[in-house]
Structure formats: structure tokens, C-alpha cells
Amino acid sequence: MEKIIRAARGLDKADLVLKNGEIINVFTMKLEKADVAICEGKICGIGTYEGLEEVDISGKFVAPGFMDGHIHIESSLMMPAEFSKAVIVHGTTAVMTDPHEIANVCGTQGIDFMMEESVNLPLDIYFLLPSCVPSSSFDEGGAVLEASDLSPYYSNEKVLGLAELMDYPGTISADKKILDKIKDACGKTIDGHAPGLKGKNLCAYIAAGVMSDHECISIDEALERISLGMTVMIREGTAAKNLSSLIKLFEKPYCDCCILATDDKHPESLINEGHIDHIIRKAVKLGADPITAVKMATYNTARYFGLRKKGAVAPGYDADLVVLSDLNNVNVDMVYKNGILIAEKGEEIFSTNDKYNRYFNDEKSSLNHKNHKYYRIFNSFNMRTLSEEDFFINSSDNINKIRTISLVPGEIATKMEIMDYNQETNGISVENDVLKLAVIERHKDSGHIGLGFIHGYGLKRGAIASSVSHDAHNLIVIGTNEYDMCTAANMVRNMQGGLAVADGSFKEILPLSAAGLMSNLSASELAENMADIRHAAMSLGAAEGIDPFMTLAFVSLPVIPEVRLTTLGLVDVDSQSLISTFEQ
Amino acid sequence: MEKIIRAARGLDKADLVLKNGEIINVFTMKLEKADVAICEGKICGIGTYEGLEEVDISGKFVAPGFMDGHIHIESSLMMPAEFSKAVIVHGTTAVMTDPHEIANVCGTQGIDFMMEESVNLPLDIYFLLPSCVPSSSFDEGGAVLEASDLSPYYSNEKVLGLAELMDYPGTISADKKILDKIKDACGKTIDGHAPGLKGKNLCAYIAAGVMSDHECISIDEALERISLGMTVMIREGTAAKNLSSLIKLFEKPYCDCCILATDDKHPESLINEGHIDHIIRKAVKLGADPITAVKMATYNTARYFGLRKKGAVAPGYDADLVVLSDLNNVNVDMVYKNGILIAEKGEEIFSTNDKYNRYFNDEKSSLNHKNHKYYRIFNSFNMRTLSEEDFFINSSDNINKIRTISLVPGEIATKMEIMDYNQETNGISVENDVLKLAVIERHKDSGHIGLGFIHGYGLKRGAIASSVSHDAHNLIVIGTNEYDMCTAANMVRNMQGGLAVADGSFKEILPLSAAGLMSNLSASELAENMADIRHAAMSLGAAEGIDPFMTLAFVSLPVIPEVRLTTLGLVDVDSQSLISTFEQ
């Protein structure tokens, strides 16, 4: 501290001085031309300073490092180290992540793994604990997390609270298990997820302790939440894009109650669009004040999560800084973390040494020992090899109608549709776009396989399988015939998770061997491989406007209306009950 | 929690509903007409509600309970229980206090005493730990508090951080003892006190960890602090009044960085003007937006101190509420604490039972046992009886000039003035308004007595003595002759502290037997007694524009320029050195 104080007073040179830039001051809401002096990773002074190292940034802008208020890192398909590289070049220096996906596969071991993989990175990865594992009793995941499983994590300073409480019906029914989780998180941040909740039920949800919501899709929803004291996370990610609907929130006084988040972010959109910089850029294009947008992406986020030394360019703050060459276009020129240059002109400047991806670098023999602490992460498939017979449905002769899951273009929601049943083809009708869907339990070798039919996906031949299947991440496969379905599913099983396309002898895979969710590839490699396998999927005839893998990822999630297929069979979401695939 | 959730949903009646009021919404910055439903001391819902008890507040306004961001309760001369009564009627439901005065007299025992006296009151009394005891090495107080004395208190949830770091020279000199105190407070709030500090020195002070300042007297000072990330406490108390100079801070965006505080508040001004309500009222009269002013006095304060469940009228917040019958005049109609009506139309509604003022109610015999844990609080005078000779100055024959402390009208600052020395009267010259001043060490029976001369006080006869004498609170006495000085000083000594006026057989006292700082009287009794003794002091001829006791309270504080008298003698503040009373 003495060194910092002396540098601040100008008695000694600072470690680093960013000279002559325009500081984005989140307190005065003005641009202020001054030097930023940095010492021991902290900003020590604003004014005119000399440094051991000096960087002239005349004509450029200095912002606090950007923060993503809510993201599931697993959605990027990257491990934390590669994810870090992909986002820091866009000016992100902190993310608040909910390891909800890996926790559904590997429980607390998944949380431990993500936390361990997140240390010593040039990105602050903070954790909110997954509050709803499993999401539903129809979701046969790899773990059940109770309050007692979560509470030990709160002593970790990287754990900021409880993640999106998506079981809002349970919360406002005062479900004891949920209230216990809230109670344990008391004093920390409790994130919400309550699409459509309003009025007294919303009051109850907030009174229970929930502080934010990232599910607002309309301005009315957002304003009601703000009026009741919630922080609204304006979400603009790969899957859900709410920014343009919520652009009014960048105005006073609402902006003070809002922060920015992506929720889910795929590698291609990280590379092509950017991260939080993309949201700020888009907001400014839509008319937002850039200083306000920067404040929402930095200071507001830090304050919401109780981080007092982050989110501003001022003395005493961590020197997590973004230098922008253009304010309105949010062109990220340089990124500093704790005063260290970590990215410049779109390239990260830190080496992937043995600290990162450590378990991918382990000898396979070591990982395959069952007593390796992360054995389960890299051996998350616990199921037998499938045979073609597993995909046939036993039906009695007098059946002639089926309940199908009908996709709604551009939405995650589905409709139930009654369609004709063709007994000869075991229900599949490529010409009518009625395909077979299977969800195979892959965590506990229960042998549970849910079989059903789906309409609107468009596949003309072959099959597509994936282990990214919210929230339980069972093995899901869609196909035009049982043989290719079996092939594609076994390909995913045999590589311990990933994406697969099969059409006779034509095969394409993308391995996701960490919990069946993440790869050890970089963002650019993943983007390329994703493009290849998506192209393969589209070549089998998937419908225009369908993202083949993202669509598959949601058809098994039994908390989104109207009808879903899980390992236990077809689920009517509204009534939360199993229903028969066959119409009597 | 289940009860709160059910009440929020309207499934059960709430405990209490404030119906049809205009809510001051600190998020939307609007008035919003709705019912406020309260259950188990928390606000559970905003909307249309039914309650077991319903109070119609049509045409009235509901604000969060007001908060004083920085006050020394001792300045009110009241014990916490009576202080609470005096402020809750003005809508205050929380204060952040620094028990700096009693700590200078009784050390950690003083802190313990204040904390114990603050429980079970209808006012949240939060503590910031006194950071500078003693304020200076020339201040012979009753205690020295090191970092190790303070650190155990941080585990107490009522302790919010470290109080005003007034030793800013030490801080920016990286004094290890100060840095240790800052380090221990890390993660909590660290208040500042840095009049006049600016530029790089201010950066150093902030970089060291200091988060706020309540010593701004000019808008430029305030804006520099805000720009560097500090919270500015706009102070308007009895002693210092900075509101009108800082009224611009009620504008956007500065208002987001400011809170309200009184610092020192005497009983008469509490009764005659009010407390935080008075500051809001005056700000509105000076042009501030009332909703903004209310937010600064509530939500901003709560956020600055990290209190997430205070400072707003919204679900999940503590039901600490003020009902105003008029917004612009801030007329406090009713005050609720945790959903309980504690004050109505200027009268507190809670009984002073045996929980309060417990030690005043103890049998004197018990308190006078040296092993009583608060013996020292009520027996804080450890000094022999004084004799008239103690007040004579030994001087050699060749002295004919003296250095006097010259009061500056309307300021706490003093000037040094060289004046003629009249050996026959031992220096006193009533006609020239040169009076004698004595500061007598009263904590450790050291026998130290500082003697000097003061100009500008105006006394024509008699003497005035007090044990309220910043920061060491030694016994200070001013007089026109040694006999009355001795009488007044012994009167204070014999009553274990207080104020005394003596002029021959004319005597007037006001006992302050808790540490020589506080009485067990109520605000109105104290105001009356203060008026009496002030009248007595004025009747001895104290100058127009002099508050006789407030002036005395500061002439011994060796950290305010230009010259002060302590138990060790005359102190030149700028050079921090002792100087002779006699000019050679």
C-alpha cells in the first residue's frame, strides 16, 4: 500500500501510466482528459503522472473493464481458459457465471471443476451457485443439488450468490427446499429468472429475496420489475436477444437499475459480433448514450454484485481497463487486467501454459482412473451401447394418431399437434416432416429412453445427435430412420459427449468431452468446427430458419411450454404431467 | 418467510397495510399511488392489499426511513435511548455513528457502552469505529486505540466500517498504524475526513481505501471528490452547515454520489429544526427535487454502507417508513420501524422501560464499585481537586508579550496574536478581552495543566468550565479570574463531567455524567437546561455571536489551525509543535 500511496502522490513513478486519454467517468458521466496512473495492479491516481512505463493514448478512451452479469460459460462450448481469451479481446474483464449446465451433469464436482479451471486466468470469473438442479422432476440429470450442497461454497470469495432462481412457481409456493437455498445466500446476491411473472406473484418472488431478472422481453415487464426494486439484466446473447425491446432502459432513471448480460453465447457470435462490447455498440446504434451504456456494463454490475473495487476508472479501483479507439463504435484497442496488458487489437496477450486446460493435458490414462478427482467430468456417459431396436416404439394395432412436438419458427416454445400414425414406418413420415425423437438417459445407466415425434425440423435423411440438451443434458437424437439415429447416438456416447451427424456412411462429429458440454478447442477452432457440423446437418435437409443443434438443445427442457420429450416420455409442461405419445 | 410470501400474493391478509398513499419510488423517481403491505416487519407487496390493520394515508406520502450518514451521538449530549426518541419523531430510522468522543475518554469500554445502550431501540444505530484516538500526540486523552483494539468489532453486524480517517496527513504518509486500521476494515466502509485535501494527495488518500468525505465546504472540493469516486456526505448539523454551499450536488449526476449527514447535532437544534428532515426541507427550499433529496437521505446512504434491505419502499425491504403529510415541507406525520408505529405527529410511541438508560437507573453504589464493567464511564474524572494556585502562570520578570489564541468570529479556526502581558494581573485583561484559559488533564491524574490566554470570547466576569472539549475531552475552563476558574473547574470535576458557570456565589451547572459527555435527560429537558446555562454564560458577558460552550469545545483540538491549548501547553498546529505562551 505504501508503494501505491507514494505513486499516487507522485513521489515515485507509477508502474504504468496511460497518458492523455479521455476517461469515461461513471460518476460525473463525462469524458475527462487525464492520465491514469497504475501501481501494483490498482489505479492510484488520475491527473498528470509519470510512469516506469508510459503508453500514450491520445485521442482514445479509457473505460472500466466490461462485465457480463449472467452467462453460462458452458454455452460457449469452451473451457474457462479458452472462453477467457475469446472475451478479453472484446474488453470483458469479469463475468458472473452460473455453472448450471455442468452441475446438471456432474453436480458439485462440476462446480468444483469450473472453479478450479477459472483460477489464474486474465479474466475474473465469479460464480453464482446453480439454484435449480434439476430444473424439474421430469429431468433425469446427473445430480440433485440441495441447499446443503451449495452452502459450503459461500465462503469462497469468488462466489457472489445464488444463480437464477428459475423455479419461481416453487419460490412463490414457499417450497422449503428453495427457501433454504435463499436463506443460505442471505447477504449475497440472489439472481432471478421469472418470465411473465407480475403483480402480487412478482411481489412475492421479490419479497422472498430475489434481486434481479434477466428474462424481461418487454419494456412493461422490465419497468414493473424496476419499480419494485429489482435490477434488470438486459440480455442480448446468442439464443435470446432482448436489447431492442428494452432500449428505453438506457434512459434515466431506469439505467441506474440495469446491467448487461448474455446468458448464452456461442463461439461464432463471440467471434463475429463480440461480447458485452457488442451490446454496448448495438445500444448506442439504437440511440443510447455511450457513457450510460458503459456505466451499465461496468459500475452498475459491480455494485449489484457488491464488488466495491471494480467498475470505475478512479483511485483505489482495480486497474481492469479497456482502451477504446472509438467510443460510439466501441472499438476495443487494448485491455488491461490488474494493470497488465492482456489483449491488444483483437489478440490476447497471455500464453496458454500448463496452468490452463490442465485436465485435457493430463495423460488419458490418468483421467481414466476412477479415483481421479475429475474422472466423472471426462467420463460423463454412463450408459450401454445402443442398438437399433432401442428406437422402435411398441404400439398396439388400434393406434392411428400420435401427439407430436411441433416446433414454432423463431421460438423456443413448442405446440402439441395431433398427427396421423403410420404403423409401417413406426411413425416416421419424412414427407410430412414427422421425425422421430429420442432422449436417452446417460448419467446413471437407467436404460430410460423417451421416444416421440417432432414436426417442423425438416430433416430429409440421416440423424443428428447431441449431448447438449437442457437442462439434464441427456443424449438427444432426431432422425429419419432408426439405423442412423442409433449410429449418431452411439457416436456421441463413444466420444463421451458432443455433436454427431450420421447418414449411412457419412459421419461428422464435434467432440465435447468435458461433461459432454465443452471442448478444449479455441473459439475460432470451435466456430470452424461448428460451421462444418452445422453445414453437415443442414445438408441432410434441416428446415430453413432452424438452428439444428440449438433447436435440439431445448426440446427436452420440461419447463418451457407446451410439450417436451424427456427420458421418461412426453411431458405436458403446463400440467407438469407425463402424457402418452399415442392418442387413444 | 412463508407468511411474507403468502401475504405478498394476497392469499392471507398482511399484518399492516398503508392504503392509498403516494409512494416515493427511489427507482422510478416518481410518486406512485399504491398500498404498501407489511408482514413480519418487511414490506411484502406494493399494489392493492388488505391487512389485519389498515391505515388510510390518502393524500400523504410514503418515504423510506431517513438515515444520518455520519453523526457523533455524544454531540447531542444524550444517551442513545433519548437520542433515538429525539430523532425518530423527525423520520430518522437509522444513524451511522462514530463513538469517537466517548472512545477518547474511555477507549473500547466507551464503544462497548454505546453499543450496549443502542440495542433494542426503535432506531437502527450502526457503528463506524473511531479511527483516530487520540487525534494528535498533543491530545492527552483517556485512551489510545490501535488497529488490534478495533479489529474484534468487525464481526459485529452493527459495525459497518472505519469512521472518519481524520489523520489524512498520516494516511498519505503511509503511517503503518493507520494502514493497519484500513487493512482490517477491508471490505467494509471506510469514511474520510480531509478538509482541503486535493490533487495527488487526495488521490493517495482515496487509493489508500477512503471512500467518503463529509468535510466539503465548497462545490469545487465536492466535485473533485465525486469525480475521483468518493461519496460526498453533505453535512448540515449544528456546528457545521455546508448545505447551501453544496446545493448543486442535488442535481444529476452528482446526487447519485451524495448522502446526507449532520456530524454534530445539539438538542436545541434537533428540537427546533429537526434532523435529516430539516436537511431535506432546506434543500427543497433551495431548489432541490424532493424525491432526489429523499433518495439521497435513504437509498444512497443504505447503498454506500452496504445495507441492501434498507432505503426503499419495495418488496423485501425492511418496513422502516416515514409518512409525510406534505412532501415539499417534509412534514413527518407517522414513522414506522420494522412495520411498528414508533412516532406520530411529533410524539414518539415507545416506552422508556428498564431496557433503556440502564446504567443511569442502576443504584449508584453499584456503579461506584470499581469492578462494575462501566465504572469508568460514570467515573471518568481521575484528577485531584484543583486549587486557585493551579491557575497562576510562573513567569520571569522580563516578559512583556504573550501569544494569545484569538477567536475568528463564525469560524472554528483561530489565529495567534501577540499581545501585551500584564504581570500584575497574571496576564488577564478584561478590558482588552484577554482571558485566561486552562486545560486540565482529567483521565490519568497526571497533574498536567496547560495555561494560556484567549482573545475574543468577551467574558466580563466569572468563569466557565466544560468537560466537552474535543477530542480528548479534558477539563477546559475560561475565566476572568483564577478563583472563579478554580470553582467552575472543581464543579465539573465533582459532578464527573458537565458544564459549569461560576461568578462568586452565582453558580449554574449541567451534569454530563456519562463520560463527561452525555446526560440522562431527554432532548427537551436538555434543551431547556442548555438554554439556562447558556443564558448564565451570556450574562457574564460572553461576546455576541459566540456560542460559549461550542467555542470552548474546540479551542483545545490541536488539529485545527492555527493555535490551540492542550494539557501540555500551547500548540502551533501547522508545525505540530509546542510553543511558549510568552513571547521572548
Side-chain angles (χ1 to χ4, degrees):
Chain A
M1 181 55 83
E2 185 175 358
K3 196 163 173 284
I4 293 172
I5 289 172
R6 288 185 61 82
R9 295 181 69 188
L11 302 177
D12 297 330
K13 285 189 178 181
D15 295 339
L16 167 69
V17 177
L18 303 181
K19 289 197 74 75
N20 307 314
E22 298 275 346
I23 295 168
I24 299 175
N25 188 315
V26 297
F27 306 108
T28 62
M29 299 305 282
K30 288 178 187 150
L31 296 173
E32 292 171 1
K33 194 180 176 89
D35 301 341
V36 181
I38 294 158
C39 184
E40 295 191 331
K42 304 271 182 189
I43 298 168
C44 62
I46 305 292
T48 303
Y49 281 94
E50 290 179 20
L52 298 170
E53 184 189 349
E54 297 187 353
V55 179
D56 183 37
I57 54 166
S58 299
K60 296 177 183 174
F61 304 84
V62 192
F66 303 146
M67 301 184 183
D68 189 335
H70 176 67
I71 186 170
H72 306 284
I73 289 179
E74 303 96 310
S75 70
S76 73
L77 309 180
M78 282 178 269
M79 299 277 286
E82 289 298 338
F83 171 80
S84 296
K85 291 192 208 167
V87 300
I88 62 170
V89 298
H90 291 288
T92 304
T93 57
V95 300
M96 286 65 184
T97 194
D98 169 12
H100 175 76
E101 315 304 347
I102 197 168
N104 266 285
V105 177
C106 304
T108 54
Q109 203 173 104
I111 301 174
D112 294 340
F113 177 72
M114 292 298 276
M115 292 180 79
E116 198 179 314
E117 287 289 309
S118 296
V119 298
N120 292 326
L121 296 179
L123 172 76
D124 281 316
I125 299 181
Y126 293 102
F127 287 79
L128 286 290
L129 301 177
S131 63
C132 300
V133 177
S135 70
S136 150
S137 57
F138 296 111
D139 234 6
E140 288 195 299
V144 174
L145 294 184
E146 307 287 4
S148 58
D149 298 311
L150 301 180
S151 59
Y153 288 96
Y154 288 116
S155 59
N156 185 316
E157 63 173 12
K158 287 286 185 185
V159 173
L160 302 181
L162 190 63
E164 50 175 330
L165 247 178
M166 58 184 86
D167 188 2
Y168 55 87
T171 309
I172 66 171
S173 302
D175 180 313
K176 190 181 174 305
K177 289 190 168 191
I178 296 177
L179 296 190
D180 282 348
K181 288 176 183 173
I182 290 175
K183 197 172 160 196
D184 290 343
C186 187
K188 299 251 182 180
T189 302
I190 300 176
D191 281 340
H193 164 121
L197 203 65
K198 61 184 180 176
K200 287 180 174 160
N201 285 342
L202 180 59
C203 284
Y205 187 62
I206 300 170
V210 183
M211 299 168 163
S212 68
D213 196 0
H214 58 256
E215 291 289 335
C216 296
I217 57 172
S218 77
I219 191 71
D220 287 347
E221 262 184 317
L223 293 183
E224 184 181 10
R225 279 156 179 71
I226 287 171
S227 165
L228 292 170
M230 274 189 147
T231 292
V232 168
M233 296 189 181
I234 301 173
R235 176 179 57 180
E236 182 80 0
T238 306
K241 297 177 194 294
N242 309 127
L243 174 62
S244 57
S245 304
L246 302 178
I247 192 68
K248 186 183 165 69
L249 299 183
F250 287 75
E251 295 171 13
K252 279 274 169 200
Y254 313 116
C255 57
D256 291 338
C257 306
C258 297
I259 68 179
L260 309 184
T262 59
D263 203 353
D264 287 334
K265 192 75 182 173
H266 295 190
E268 316 92 291
S269 74
L270 262 179
I271 288 174
N272 299 334
E273 296 177 335
H275 186 213
I276 299 300
D277 59 328
H278 166 65
I279 310 183
I280 300 171
R281 190 180 303 122
K282 189 168 170 183
V284 172
K285 287 218 172 79
L286 291 169
D289 166 54
I291 297 176
T292 300
V294 165
K295 184 179 181 185
M296 293 163 75
T298 58
Y299 185 79
N300 288 9
T301 316
R303 283 304 164 280
Y304 170 67
F305 287 104
L307 301 169
R308 297 187 90 148
K309 294 299 172 195
K310 304 251 177 216
V313 186
Y317 279 76
D318 291 340
D320 300 348
L321 300 168
V322 187
V323 177
L324 304 172
S325 57
D326 180 286
L327 181 55
N328 288 318
N329 280 317
V330 199
N331 292 342
V332 175
D333 188 53
M334 293 185 287
V335 185
Y336 290 88
K337 183 80 188 61
N338 299 118
I340 307 287
L341 184 68
I342 55 167
E344 187 167 12
K345 299 199 193 310
E347 297 291 330
E348 82 275 3
I349 307 175
F350 76 100
S351 60
T352 307
N353 57 31
D354 59 357
K355 283 187 304 191
Y356 308 118
N357 289 335
R358 70 199 80 189
Y359 295 107
F360 275 110
N361 296 335
D362 273 10
E363 303 225 348
K364 269 289 171 195
S365 57
S366 156
L367 272 178
N368 285 337
H369 278 304
K370 289 216 173 187
N371 57 359
H372 189 290
K373 68 174 174 171
Y374 293 129
Y375 173 84
R376 190 175 165 194
I377 304 290
F378 295 95
N379 296 275
S380 67
F381 271 69
N382 181 19
M383 58 175 280
R384 63 176 165 79
T385 301
L386 297 162
S387 67
E388 204 176 328
E389 286 67 38
D390 289 321
F391 295 90
F392 286 102
I393 301 181
N394 294 322
S395 62
S396 53
D397 290 346
N398 58 348
I399 297 294
N400 56 11
K401 293 281 182 189
I402 50 171
R403 299 192 174 98
T404 63
I405 299 169
S406 192
L407 299 173
V408 181
E411 287 188 30
I412 296 174
T414 61
K415 295 281 173 197
M416 189 173 73
E417 206 171 346
I418 310 295
M419 301 188 81
D420 290 335
Y421 179 63
N422 183 340
Q423 203 140 18
E424 279 176 31
T425 61
N426 204 247
I428 296 173
S429 169
V430 171
E431 58 272 29
N432 293 324
D433 193 15
V434 179
L435 306 179
K436 190 168 277 181
L437 188 67
V439 180
I440 302 130
E441 196 281 318
R442 62 109 161 170
H443 304 287
K444 290 166 182 169
D445 200 18
S446 67
H448 293 167
I449 300 179
L451 293 171
F453 297 96
I454 187 164
H455 175 67
Y457 192 87
L459 218 57
K460 295 291 177 276
R461 58 183 197 279
I464 298 172
S466 171
S467 57
V468 178
S469 170
H470 296 289
D471 280 344
H473 301 296
N474 281 306
L475 173 49
I476 191 164
V477 54
I478 189 169
T480 57
N481 67 82
E482 290 78 5
Y483 175 82
D484 287 328
M485 288 176 79
C486 181
T487 304
N490 278 329
M491 283 158 70
V492 172
R493 172 194 176 276
N494 294 340
M495 62 184 171
Q496 291 292 341
L499 314 179
V501 173
D503 179 24
S505 63
F506 173 78
K507 289 166 188 155
E508 181 86 36
I509 58 167
L510 193 162
L512 299 169
S513 55
L517 298 170
M518 289 174 289
S519 151
N520 66 336
L521 298 179
S522 69
S524 59
E525 290 167 328
L526 264 172
E528 200 174 310
N529 291 10
M530 277 299 298
D532 289 347
I533 199 163
R534 186 179 288 113
H535 181 261
M538 299 306 285
S539 74
L540 301 187
E544 198 67 33
I546 289 278
D547 181 316
F549 294 102
M550 210 199 299
T551 300
L552 268 193
F554 286 100
V555 289
S556 186
L557 181 59
V559 295
I560 301 181
E562 188 175 88
V563 63
R564 303 279 150 178
L565 185 69
T566 74
T567 53
L568 301 175
L570 207 58
V571 178
D572 178 72
V573 175
D574 282 345
S575 67
Q576 284 287 299
S577 59
L578 288 171
I579 54 175
S580 170
T581 293
F582 300 105
E583 173 82 0
Q584 297 301 328
Chain B
M1 181 55 80
E2 184 175 359
K3 196 162 174 284
I4 293 172
I5 289 172
R6 288 185 60 82
R9 295 181 69 190
L11 302 176
D12 297 330
K13 284 188 178 181
D15 295 339
L16 169 69
V17 177
L18 304 181
K19 289 197 74 75
N20 307 314
E22 298 275 345
I23 295 167
I24 299 175
N25 188 317
V26 297
F27 307 108
T28 62
M29 299 304 283
K30 287 178 188 151
L31 296 174
E32 292 171 1
K33 194 180 176 89
D35 300 342
V36 181
I38 294 158
C39 184
E40 295 191 331
K42 303 272 183 189
I43 299 168
C44 62
I46 305 291
T48 303
Y49 281 94
E50 289 180 21
L52 298 171
E53 184 188 349
E54 297 186 352
V55 179
D56 184 38
I57 55 166
S58 300
K60 295 177 183 173
F61 304 84
V62 192
F66 303 147
M67 300 183 185
D68 189 336
H70 176 68
I71 185 170
H72 306 285
I73 289 179
E74 302 95 310
S75 70
S76 74
L77 310 181
M78 282 178 268
M79 298 278 287
E82 289 298 338
F83 171 80
S84 297
K85 291 192 209 168
V87 300
I88 62 169
V89 299
H90 291 288
T92 304
T93 56
V95 299
M96 285 66 184
T97 194
D98 169 12
H100 176 75
E101 315 305 347
I102 197 168
N104 266 284
V105 178
C106 305
T108 55
Q109 203 173 105
I111 301 175
D112 295 340
F113 176 72
M114 291 299 276
M115 292 180 80
E116 198 178 314
E117 287 288 308
S118 295
V119 299
N120 292 325
L121 295 179
L123 172 74
D124 282 315
I125 299 180
Y126 294 103
F127 287 80
L128 285 291
L129 301 177
S131 63
C132 301
V133 176
S135 70
S136 151
S137 56
F138 297 111
D139 234 5
E140 289 196 297
V144 174
L145 294 184
E146 307 287 4
S148 58
D149 298 311
L150 302 179
S151 58
Y153 288 96
Y154 288 116
S155 60
N156 185 315
E157 63 173 12
K158 287 285 186 185
V159 174
L160 302 181
L162 191 63
E164 52 175 328
L165 247 177
M166 60 185 85
D167 188 2
Y168 55 88
T171 308
I172 67 171
S173 303
D175 179 313
K176 191 182 173 306
K177 289 190 168 191
I178 296 177
L179 297 190
D180 282 348
K181 289 177 184 173
I182 290 176
K183 197 172 160 196
D184 289 343
C186 187
K188 300 253 182 178
T189 302
I190 300 176
D191 281 339
H193 164 120
L197 203 65
K198 61 183 179 178
K200 286 181 174 158
N201 285 341
L202 180 59
C203 284
Y205 187 62
I206 300 170
V210 183
M211 298 169 170
S212 67
D213 196 0
H214 59 256
E215 291 289 335
C216 296
I217 56 171
S218 77
I219 191 70
D220 287 346
E221 262 184 316
L223 293 182
E224 183 180 11
R225 281 157 177 71
I226 287 171
S227 166
L228 293 170
M230 276 191 147
T231 292
V232 168
M233 296 188 182
I234 301 172
R235 177 179 57 180
E236 182 80 2
T238 306
K241 298 177 193 292
N242 309 126
L243 175 62
S244 58
S245 304
L246 302 179
I247 192 69
K248 186 183 166 69
L249 299 183
F250 286 76
E251 294 171 14
K252 279 276 171 197
Y254 314 115
C255 58
D256 291 337
C257 306
C258 298
I259 69 178
L260 308 183
T262 59
D263 203 353
D264 287 334
K265 192 76 183 173
H266 295 190
E268 317 90 291
S269 74
L270 262 178
I271 288 175
N272 298 334
E273 297 176 334
H275 186 212
I276 299 300
D277 59 327
H278 165 66
I279 309 182
I280 300 172
R281 190 180 303 121
K282 188 167 170 183
V284 172
K285 287 216 171 80
L286 291 169
D289 166 56
I291 297 177
T292 300
V294 165
K295 184 180 181 184
M296 293 163 75
T298 57
Y299 185 80
N300 288 9
T301 316
R303 283 304 163 281
Y304 169 67
F305 287 104
L307 300 170
R308 299 189 89 150
K309 294 298 174 197
K310 304 251 177 218
V313 186
Y317 279 76
D318 291 341
D320 300 348
L321 300 168
V322 187
V323 177
L324 304 172
S325 57
D326 179 285
L327 182 54
N328 288 319
N329 280 317
V330 199
N331 292 341
V332 175
D333 189 52
M334 292 185 286
V335 185
Y336 290 88
K337 183 80 188 59
N338 299 119
I340 308 287
L341 184 68
I342 55 166
E344 187 166 12
K345 299 197 192 312
E347 297 291 331
E348 81 276 2
I349 307 174
F350 78 100
S351 60
T352 307
N353 57 31
D354 59 355
K355 283 186 303 190
Y356 309 118
N357 289 334
R358 72 199 79 188
Y359 294 107
F360 276 110
N361 297 334
D362 273 10
E363 303 225 346
K364 268 288 170 196
S365 58
S366 156
L367 271 178
N368 285 337
H369 278 304
K370 289 215 173 188
N371 58 359
H372 188 289
K373 67 174 175 171
Y374 293 129
Y375 172 84
R376 191 174 163 195
I377 304 290
F378 295 94
N379 296 275
S380 67
F381 271 68
N382 182 20
M383 59 176 278
R384 62 178 166 76
T385 301
L386 297 162
S387 68
E388 204 177 329
E389 286 67 39
D390 290 318
F391 296 89
F392 287 101
I393 302 181
N394 294 323
S395 62
S396 53
D397 290 345
N398 59 347
I399 297 294
N400 57 12
K401 294 281 181 187
I402 50 171
R403 298 192 175 97
T404 63
I405 300 170
S406 190
L407 298 174
V408 181
E411 287 187 31
I412 297 175
T414 61
K415 295 281 173 196
M416 188 171 76
E417 205 170 346
I418 310 296
M419 301 189 82
D420 290 334
Y421 180 64
N422 183 340
Q423 204 140 17
E424 278 176 34
T425 62
N426 205 246
I428 296 172
S429 169
V430 172
E431 57 273 29
N432 294 322
D433 194 14
V434 179
L435 306 180
K436 190 168 277 180
L437 189 66
V439 181
I440 303 130
E441 197 280 319
R442 61 110 160 169
H443 304 287
K444 290 165 184 170
D445 200 18
S446 66
H448 294 166
I449 299 178
L451 293 171
F453 297 96
I454 186 164
H455 175 66
Y457 192 88
L459 218 57
K460 296 289 177 278
R461 59 182 196 280
I464 299 172
S466 171
S467 57
V468 178
S469 170
H470 297 288
D471 279 346
H473 301 295
N474 281 306
L475 173 49
I476 191 164
V477 54
I478 189 169
T480 58
N481 66 83
E482 290 78 6
Y483 176 82
D484 286 328
M485 288 176 79
C486 180
T487 304
N490 279 328
M491 282 159 70
V492 172
R493 173 194 175 276
N494 294 339
M495 62 183 172
Q496 291 291 341
L499 314 179
V501 173
D503 177 26
S505 64
F506 173 77
K507 289 167 189 156
E508 181 86 35
I509 58 166
L510 193 161
L512 298 169
S513 55
L517 298 170
M518 290 173 290
S519 151
N520 65 338
L521 298 178
S522 69
S524 58
E525 290 166 327
L526 264 172
E528 200 174 308
N529 291 10
M530 276 300 297
D532 287 347
I533 199 162
R534 186 178 288 112
H535 181 262
M538 299 307 285
S539 75
L540 302 187
E544 198 68 32
I546 289 278
D547 181 316
F549 294 102
M550 209 198 302
T551 300
L552 268 193
F554 286 101
V555 289
S556 186
L557 181 59
V559 296
I560 301 181
E562 186 172 88
V563 64
R564 304 279 150 178
L565 184 70
T566 75
T567 53
L568 302 175
L570 207 59
V571 177
D572 178 73
V573 175
D574 283 345
S575 68
Q576 284 288 299
S577 58
L578 288 171
I579 55 175
S580 170
T581 293
F582 301 105
E583 174 81 0
Q584 296 303 326

